[in-house]
Amino acid sequence: MLARNAEGLYWLGRYVERTSHLCRLLREQMETLVDRPVREIHFGWRRIYGALRRRPPGPAIGFGGSDDDFTLADSFALADDLTFERSNPDSVWSCFAAGRENARQMRQCITGEMWASLNLPWLRLRELRIEDVWKTAPEGFYAEVSRDLDTFMGVVERTMYRDDRWRFLQIGRCVERLQLAVSLLLAHVDEVTAAEDGSDHDWMSLLRVCNALDAYTHRYGVGIRADRVFELLVVDARLPRSLYDAADAAGRELTALAPGPGPTGEAASLAALITRAVRGPWPTGEHVLDERCERLRQIETRCRAFHAAVMAAHVQYEIDAPAP
Amino acid sequence: MDFGAYEIDPAVYDEMFGPDGAPREHSRPLREALGRLPSADLAEIQERVSRSFLNEGITFTVYGDESAEERIIPIDCIPRILAAAEWKRLEAGLAQRVLALNHFLADVYSDARAVSDGVIPEDLVVDCPQYRREMRGMRPPHGTWVAVCGTDVVRTNDGFVVLEDNLRVPSGVSYMIANRRAVKAGLRRLYRHCRVREVEHYGRLLRETLRELAPAGSREPTLALLTPGVANAAFYEHMFLANEIGGELVEGRDLVVRNRAVYMRTTEGLRRVDVIYRRVDDDFLDPLVFRPDSLLGVPGLMDAYRHGSVVIANAPGTGVADDKSVYPYVPDLIRYYLSEDPIIANVPTRICRRPADLEYTLDNLERLVVKRVGESGGYGMLVGPHATPAEREAYAREMRANPADFVSQPVLDLSRAPCFIDGGPEPRHVDLRPFVLRGRRTRLVPGAFCRVALRRGSIVVNSSQGGGGKDVWVLEG
């Protein structure tokens, strides 16, 4: 496969995951706006911006204190920034546009069904403005985009031939999932630690963002405990969005790739290291949150190194060597 | 749909109706079917055809128009019909023309017999900006310089004439196929009833053509389509054709030259490329030979080509044969190389480098179309009757300053075909771009990209300037 195409498919996977992740965060936040206390609304916004490592536009979140009207106006501006702002590379619009553009350039590498299932939602999304979705039920809009992307991934599963094209797309998805999940966990812990009056709702909302509330209830019952949420989201191989699942799948797809002309050993070692770090055992005891966060940051660094190693092995390799 | 108000002008050939207003024999089934179809149904078909282009991302880009990065070519859902006999004549005429032009290219890049025999002036050939001295002495496989040709043909009351040849990187063939798929789906029963010849095997024929051109010794040649990239107006077509020929869609940055051979960067290392179907202009192919600032090309590509390890189709330098200054000589070239009379005529053309032709053109500017040599896509053209006196005067000044840069032609009464506009049939001017393939032999699919000047009264069919498209149904004999 053409090296540039491999990179395009890898990024297609990453952008689709990124858009879907952001939609789930925003859908959850929109539901919070309906009936949750102002504190939780501020918590949600700070968690999103923290996870994206971005500063929100305008004054710091929470500036309006407990004024409901102010909080809603604030939320409108923040939702616009994160959804339709073209100059924000992390907005839903920008991420979807980037994923769809990758698909457009890689159309000869993907199936017609994949293209259609990404292009049609894009044609609906591209002309929308925040006013269009805000006036009724904005959470419905985010849920719909999430469903569109789930459909796209379903179409990928059902129509794409399982060769290296498939594998690069999957590796991109896994790397993105790992990075997004780690970043969200770190932002969540930051906010939980800072909050003086935190509630179970904070952890439940995290489960909902990760589509894991049903799985949690099924496994642990209705009582929410932070350590169990962590265990489910990070270590549990049976949860489709767990860190372990993403790390394990990335390693598996990497191993199945045809050997690249660049140095391949490094990517494989990093994949093994990441999987081992995710599997645990994780620190327990007095300073559990600090130590776990330290481990998460380590995983995040290795993910970045893994990305660079995959590119160096298969895409951006040196070609000074004589041709075959 | 009611044809009651459809306007017939006996001075202009109508593709569906004779001068007396009766449908032409081969168009009768279409006319009758459209007559039975309520306008609302046709509007729905039209909407579906347009939507299918948008949904599938069959788009093009207009240079300099940042607001409309991806646009669809408006497709009219009423097909244009060609009778079997009409196509047979066109097919023979186009094949003849492409063969003669290939002979001409082989000649001007070797001993230039046509020049020494006085068929065409020497300076007109060697001073043409498209003449590439670097190609002198080259002998492409099977003498095929032009593997893919898109010839623009129009019809007047006097029959078909060739408007221009496109021998460099002709585009539009993907629309021929996309139009067919969309219109066929909309008018399925009629399509079946009319016994229309297929066009969707074009990709297979292109693949066979390119494989025939592969360097000797490459049993399973690797094909690649070289695109300038996603910003190019025809990027959709590049992607479509790469898929059809089973080749990789490559950009210049994907290719490297090693040991006088071309390789593409794959995830498993470098892989040899045997045939490049290039959709990049000559100027940008190789910065070591042509424009040094080109980022689209491949350094060393021309050296590998000259070495014979890779074939480039169309060959660099083919532009000299489709230049507007050479065009008037093509009928003579056909007679010279093939000893045959041209089957399809040229438009009478005046070459402004000749003082008498310049004088005539300047005196009759309001009745002529004036074209710049070296331009294409309808750019830089003056349509005399539609221009203001100030525009004509400004153009005349340029012509006096550089007469050799211009040719002029009478304004043709391009034929018209019914289009579905604002809920009813209205006549619009059309042209026809069939595609001729030449490897070891000549191949054509029975069809063409038909361009339509959708603005009322306009004769400019270019998609970059408000033109649209139509499906062309060539009927079985």
Side-chain angles (χ1 to χ4, degrees), chain B residues 326-352:
Chain B
V326 170
Y327 164 86
Y329 295 89
V330 175
D332 289 340
L333 295 172
I334 292 173
R335 290 185 197 97
Y336 178 71
Y337 292 113
L338 307 180
S339 305
E340 296 171 5
D341 280 327
I343 298 169
I344 314 174
N346 259 23
V347 181
T349 305
R350 289 178 189 266
I351 304 163
C352 297

mmCIF file of all heavy atoms in Angstrom, chain B residues 326-352:
data_model
loop_
_atom_site.group_PDB
_atom_site.id
_atom_site.type_symbol
_atom_site.label_atom_id
_atom_site.label_comp_id
_atom_site.label_asym_id
_atom_site.label_seq_id
_atom_site.Cartn_x
_atom_site.Cartn_y
_atom_site.Cartn_z
ATOM 1 N N VAL B 326 -1.986 25.076 -34.274
ATOM 2 C CA VAL B 326 -1.768 23.898 -35.128
ATOM 3 C C VAL B 326 -3.092 23.356 -35.648
ATOM 4 O O VAL B 326 -3.182 22.796 -36.750
ATOM 5 C CB VAL B 326 -0.985 22.806 -34.347
ATOM 6 C CG1 VAL B 326 -0.946 21.490 -35.109
ATOM 7 C CG2 VAL B 326 0.423 23.283 -34.040
ATOM 8 N N TYR B 327 -4.143 23.565 -34.854
ATOM 9 C CA TYR B 327 -5.471 23.032 -35.178
ATOM 10 C C TYR B 327 -5.886 23.257 -36.640
ATOM 11 O O TYR B 327 -6.355 22.324 -37.303
ATOM 12 C CB TYR B 327 -6.483 23.646 -34.196
ATOM 13 C CG TYR B 327 -7.925 23.523 -34.595
ATOM 14 C CD1 TYR B 327 -8.656 22.385 -34.273
ATOM 15 C CD2 TYR B 327 -8.562 24.546 -35.304
ATOM 16 C CE1 TYR B 327 -9.991 22.275 -34.640
ATOM 17 C CE2 TYR B 327 -9.880 24.441 -35.673
ATOM 18 C CZ TYR B 327 -10.596 23.314 -35.339
ATOM 19 O OH TYR B 327 -11.905 23.204 -35.715
ATOM 20 N N PRO B 328 -5.698 24.477 -37.187
ATOM 21 C CA PRO B 328 -6.176 24.674 -38.563
ATOM 22 C C PRO B 328 -5.497 23.758 -39.584
ATOM 23 O O PRO B 328 -6.021 23.554 -40.679
ATOM 24 C CB PRO B 328 -5.820 26.149 -38.866
ATOM 25 C CG PRO B 328 -5.599 26.777 -37.534
ATOM 26 C CD PRO B 328 -5.122 25.708 -36.621
ATOM 27 N N TYR B 329 -4.331 23.215 -39.218
ATOM 28 C CA TYR B 329 -3.595 22.385 -40.165
ATOM 29 C C TYR B 329 -3.960 20.900 -40.070
ATOM 30 O O TYR B 329 -3.476 20.086 -40.856
ATOM 31 C CB TYR B 329 -2.082 22.539 -39.937
ATOM 32 C CG TYR B 329 -1.593 23.936 -40.236
ATOM 33 C CD1 TYR B 329 -1.577 24.910 -39.251
ATOM 34 C CD2 TYR B 329 -1.195 24.290 -41.523
ATOM 35 C CE1 TYR B 329 -1.165 26.201 -39.517
ATOM 36 C CE2 TYR B 329 -0.778 25.578 -41.802
ATOM 37 C CZ TYR B 329 -0.761 26.534 -40.804
ATOM 38 O OH TYR B 329 -0.353 27.808 -41.083
ATOM 39 N N VAL B 330 -4.778 20.537 -39.089
ATOM 40 C CA VAL B 330 -5.020 19.101 -38.863
ATOM 41 C C VAL B 330 -5.638 18.404 -40.087
ATOM 42 O O VAL B 330 -5.200 17.311 -40.452
ATOM 43 C CB VAL B 330 -5.849 18.864 -37.573
ATOM 44 C CG1 VAL B 330 -6.210 17.394 -37.409
ATOM 45 C CG2 VAL B 330 -5.069 19.333 -36.352
ATOM 46 N N PRO B 331 -6.609 19.021 -40.783
ATOM 47 C CA PRO B 331 -7.129 18.324 -41.966
ATOM 48 C C PRO B 331 -6.021 18.012 -42.987
ATOM 49 O O PRO B 331 -5.989 16.914 -43.559
ATOM 50 C CB PRO B 331 -8.141 19.321 -42.537
ATOM 51 C CG PRO B 331 -8.584 20.121 -41.349
ATOM 52 C CD PRO B 331 -7.361 20.260 -40.504
ATOM 53 N N ASP B 332 -5.096 18.983 -43.178
ATOM 54 C CA ASP B 332 -3.982 18.720 -44.102
ATOM 55 C C ASP B 332 -3.070 17.618 -43.574
ATOM 56 O O ASP B 332 -2.534 16.821 -44.342
ATOM 57 C CB ASP B 332 -3.158 19.998 -44.311
ATOM 58 C CG ASP B 332 -3.908 21.022 -45.136
ATOM 59 O OD1 ASP B 332 -4.866 20.607 -45.845
ATOM 60 O OD2 ASP B 332 -3.569 22.217 -45.066
ATOM 61 N N LEU B 333 -2.903 17.582 -42.262
ATOM 62 C CA LEU B 333 -2.038 16.549 -41.674
ATOM 63 C C LEU B 333 -2.665 15.164 -41.865
ATOM 64 O O LEU B 333 -1.959 14.179 -42.088
ATOM 65 C CB LEU B 333 -1.807 16.825 -40.176
ATOM 66 C CG LEU B 333 -1.020 18.115 -39.867
ATOM 67 C CD1 LEU B 333 -1.011 18.402 -38.365
ATOM 68 C CD2 LEU B 333 0.419 17.993 -40.382
ATOM 69 N N ILE B 334 -3.986 15.103 -41.753
ATOM 70 C CA ILE B 334 -4.664 13.813 -41.981
ATOM 71 C C ILE B 334 -4.400 13.353 -43.416
ATOM 72 O O ILE B 334 -4.028 12.203 -43.665
ATOM 73 C CB ILE B 334 -6.184 13.938 -41.719
ATOM 74 C CG1 ILE B 334 -6.437 14.164 -40.224
ATOM 75 C CG2 ILE B 334 -6.924 12.686 -42.197
ATOM 76 C CD1 ILE B 334 -7.886 14.477 -39.870
ATOM 77 N N ARG B 335 -4.548 14.270 -44.364
ATOM 78 C CA ARG B 335 -4.307 13.905 -45.769
ATOM 79 C C ARG B 335 -2.841 13.498 -45.964
ATOM 80 O O ARG B 335 -2.546 12.539 -46.669
ATOM 81 C CB ARG B 335 -4.638 15.094 -46.675
ATOM 82 C CG ARG B 335 -6.125 15.381 -46.750
ATOM 83 C CD ARG B 335 -6.456 16.491 -47.742
ATOM 84 N NE ARG B 335 -7.787 16.996 -47.480
ATOM 85 C CZ ARG B 335 -8.056 18.079 -46.755
ATOM 86 N NH1 ARG B 335 -7.080 18.811 -46.254
ATOM 87 N NH2 ARG B 335 -9.302 18.441 -46.540
ATOM 88 N N TYR B 336 -1.965 14.222 -45.307
ATOM 89 C CA TYR B 336 -0.527 13.996 -45.510
ATOM 90 C C TYR B 336 -0.081 12.631 -44.958
ATOM 91 O O TYR B 336 0.608 11.876 -45.635
ATOM 92 C CB TYR B 336 0.247 15.124 -44.821
ATOM 93 C CG TYR B 336 1.747 14.998 -44.907
ATOM 94 C CD1 TYR B 336 2.416 15.197 -46.112
ATOM 95 C CD2 TYR B 336 2.503 14.687 -43.776
ATOM 96 C CE1 TYR B 336 3.795 15.085 -46.193
ATOM 97 C CE2 TYR B 336 3.875 14.564 -43.849
ATOM 98 C CZ TYR B 336 4.530 14.768 -45.063
ATOM 99 O OH TYR B 336 5.894 14.651 -45.139
ATOM 100 N N TYR B 337 -0.508 12.335 -43.736
ATOM 101 C CA TYR B 337 -0.004 11.093 -43.110
ATOM 102 C C TYR B 337 -0.813 9.855 -43.502
ATOM 103 O O TYR B 337 -0.281 8.757 -43.545
ATOM 104 C CB TYR B 337 -0.022 11.211 -41.579
ATOM 105 C CG TYR B 337 0.980 12.202 -41.046
ATOM 106 C CD1 TYR B 337 0.566 13.370 -40.427
ATOM 107 C CD2 TYR B 337 2.350 11.977 -41.181
ATOM 108 C CE1 TYR B 337 1.474 14.291 -39.948
ATOM 109 C CE2 TYR B 337 3.268 12.901 -40.705
ATOM 110 C CZ TYR B 337 2.827 14.053 -40.092
ATOM 111 O OH TYR B 337 3.746 14.960 -39.632
ATOM 112 N N LEU B 338 -2.103 10.030 -43.723
ATOM 113 C CA LEU B 338 -2.956 8.855 -43.938
ATOM 114 C C LEU B 338 -3.452 8.733 -45.373
ATOM 115 O O LEU B 338 -4.090 7.733 -45.725
ATOM 116 C CB LEU B 338 -4.171 8.897 -42.989
ATOM 117 C CG LEU B 338 -3.877 9.072 -41.498
ATOM 118 C CD1 LEU B 338 -5.182 9.087 -40.693
ATOM 119 C CD2 LEU B 338 -2.971 7.960 -40.978
ATOM 120 N N SER B 339 -3.199 9.747 -46.170
ATOM 121 C CA SER B 339 -3.706 9.774 -47.551
ATOM 122 C C SER B 339 -5.219 9.549 -47.577
ATOM 123 O O SER B 339 -5.730 8.784 -48.402
ATOM 124 C CB SER B 339 -3.000 8.713 -48.407
ATOM 125 O OG SER B 339 -1.610 8.893 -48.350
ATOM 126 N N GLU B 340 -5.902 10.171 -46.649
ATOM 127 C CA GLU B 340 -7.367 10.060 -46.584
ATOM 128 C C GLU B 340 -7.927 11.463 -46.403
ATOM 129 O O GLU B 340 -7.248 12.336 -45.856
ATOM 130 C CB GLU B 340 -7.812 9.230 -45.363
ATOM 131 C CG GLU B 340 -7.375 7.792 -45.377
ATOM 132 C CD GLU B 340 -7.662 7.094 -44.030
ATOM 133 O OE1 GLU B 340 -8.281 7.735 -43.136
ATOM 134 O OE2 GLU B 340 -7.249 5.937 -43.879
ATOM 135 N N ASP B 341 -9.154 11.658 -46.827
ATOM 136 C CA ASP B 341 -9.812 12.923 -46.503
ATOM 137 C C ASP B 341 -10.347 12.848 -45.076
ATOM 138 O O ASP B 341 -10.780 11.776 -44.633
ATOM 139 C CB ASP B 341 -10.970 13.179 -47.467
ATOM 140 C CG ASP B 341 -10.451 13.721 -48.792
ATOM 141 O OD1 ASP B 341 -9.433 14.451 -48.764
ATOM 142 O OD2 ASP B 341 -11.041 13.377 -49.835
ATOM 143 N N PRO B 342 -10.329 13.989 -44.378
ATOM 144 C CA PRO B 342 -10.862 13.963 -43.001
ATOM 145 C C PRO B 342 -12.339 13.571 -43.009
ATOM 146 O O PRO B 342 -13.098 14.051 -43.846
ATOM 147 C CB PRO B 342 -10.693 15.405 -42.525
ATOM 148 C CG PRO B 342 -9.736 16.039 -43.461
ATOM 149 C CD PRO B 342 -9.828 15.309 -44.753
ATOM 150 N N ILE B 343 -12.691 12.701 -42.087
ATOM 151 C CA ILE B 343 -14.100 12.275 -42.003
ATOM 152 C C ILE B 343 -14.923 13.345 -41.284
ATOM 153 O O ILE B 343 -16.058 13.602 -41.637
ATOM 154 C CB ILE B 343 -14.193 10.911 -41.275
ATOM 155 C CG1 ILE B 343 -13.433 9.856 -42.089
ATOM 156 C CG2 ILE B 343 -15.652 10.502 -41.059
ATOM 157 C CD1 ILE B 343 -13.221 8.526 -41.380
ATOM 158 N N ILE B 344 -14.313 13.981 -40.277
ATOM 159 C CA ILE B 344 -15.001 15.081 -39.587
ATOM 160 C C ILE B 344 -14.218 16.361 -39.885
ATOM 161 O O ILE B 344 -12.989 16.390 -39.744
ATOM 162 C CB ILE B 344 -15.047 14.876 -38.058
ATOM 163 C CG1 ILE B 344 -15.463 13.451 -37.715
ATOM 164 C CG2 ILE B 344 -16.005 15.863 -37.418
ATOM 165 C CD1 ILE B 344 -15.398 13.150 -36.242
ATOM 166 N N ALA B 345 -14.955 17.386 -40.264
ATOM 167 C CA ALA B 345 -14.293 18.633 -40.672
ATOM 168 C C ALA B 345 -13.847 19.456 -39.465
ATOM 169 O O ALA B 345 -14.264 19.205 -38.325
ATOM 170 C CB ALA B 345 -15.262 19.447 -41.521
ATOM 171 N N ASN B 346 -13.017 20.434 -39.745
ATOM 172 C CA ASN B 346 -12.636 21.446 -38.754
ATOM 173 C C ASN B 346 -13.591 22.641 -38.845
ATOM 174 O O ASN B 346 -14.257 22.816 -39.866
ATOM 175 C CB ASN B 346 -11.244 21.982 -39.106
ATOM 176 C CG ASN B 346 -10.162 21.373 -38.248
ATOM 177 O OD1 ASN B 346 -10.343 20.298 -37.698
ATOM 178 N ND2 ASN B 346 -9.039 22.052 -38.153
ATOM 179 N N VAL B 347 -13.569 23.486 -37.834
ATOM 180 C CA VAL B 347 -14.243 24.779 -37.935
ATOM 181 C C VAL B 347 -13.319 25.678 -38.761
ATOM 182 O O VAL B 347 -12.106 25.709 -38.499
ATOM 183 C CB VAL B 347 -14.439 25.411 -36.542
ATOM 184 C CG1 VAL B 347 -15.155 26.748 -36.659
ATOM 185 C CG2 VAL B 347 -15.178 24.462 -35.624
ATOM 186 N N PRO B 348 -13.846 26.417 -39.769
ATOM 187 C CA PRO B 348 -12.960 27.317 -40.522
ATOM 188 C C PRO B 348 -12.273 28.291 -39.563
ATOM 189 O O PRO B 348 -12.942 28.939 -38.762
ATOM 190 C CB PRO B 348 -13.931 28.066 -41.451
ATOM 191 C CG PRO B 348 -15.209 27.311 -41.413
ATOM 192 C CD PRO B 348 -15.243 26.519 -40.169
ATOM 193 N N THR B 349 -10.962 28.307 -39.605
ATOM 194 C CA THR B 349 -10.211 29.075 -38.601
ATOM 195 C C THR B 349 -9.240 30.034 -39.278
ATOM 196 O O THR B 349 -8.543 29.647 -40.220
ATOM 197 C CB THR B 349 -9.433 28.100 -37.684
ATOM 198 O OG1 THR B 349 -10.366 27.175 -37.127
ATOM 199 C CG2 THR B 349 -8.710 28.819 -36.570
ATOM 200 N N ARG B 350 -9.207 31.250 -38.814
ATOM 201 C CA ARG B 350 -8.236 32.230 -39.330
ATOM 202 C C ARG B 350 -7.100 32.375 -38.329
ATOM 203 O O ARG B 350 -7.332 32.473 -37.123
ATOM 204 C CB ARG B 350 -8.917 33.565 -39.570
ATOM 205 C CG ARG B 350 -9.854 33.481 -40.753
ATOM 206 C CD ARG B 350 -10.604 34.759 -41.003
ATOM 207 N NE ARG B 350 -11.619 34.530 -42.004
ATOM 208 C CZ ARG B 350 -11.438 34.752 -43.319
ATOM 209 N NH1 ARG B 350 -10.277 35.202 -43.755
ATOM 210 N NH2 ARG B 350 -12.418 34.523 -44.175
ATOM 211 N N ILE B 351 -5.901 32.384 -38.891
ATOM 212 C CA ILE B 351 -4.705 32.412 -38.040
ATOM 213 C C ILE B 351 -4.164 33.830 -38.078
ATOM 214 O O ILE B 351 -3.689 34.302 -39.113
ATOM 215 C CB ILE B 351 -3.659 31.426 -38.601
ATOM 216 C CG1 ILE B 351 -4.297 30.037 -38.704
ATOM 217 C CG2 ILE B 351 -2.429 31.376 -37.733
ATOM 218 C CD1 ILE B 351 -3.522 29.094 -39.600
ATOM 219 N N CYS B 352 -4.222 34.504 -36.958
ATOM 220 C CA CYS B 352 -3.962 35.941 -36.945
ATOM 221 C C CYS B 352 -2.495 36.293 -37.196
ATOM 222 O O CYS B 352 -2.172 37.451 -37.397
ATOM 223 C CB CYS B 352 -4.472 36.564 -35.658
ATOM 224 S SG CYS B 352 -6.257 36.405 -35.516
#
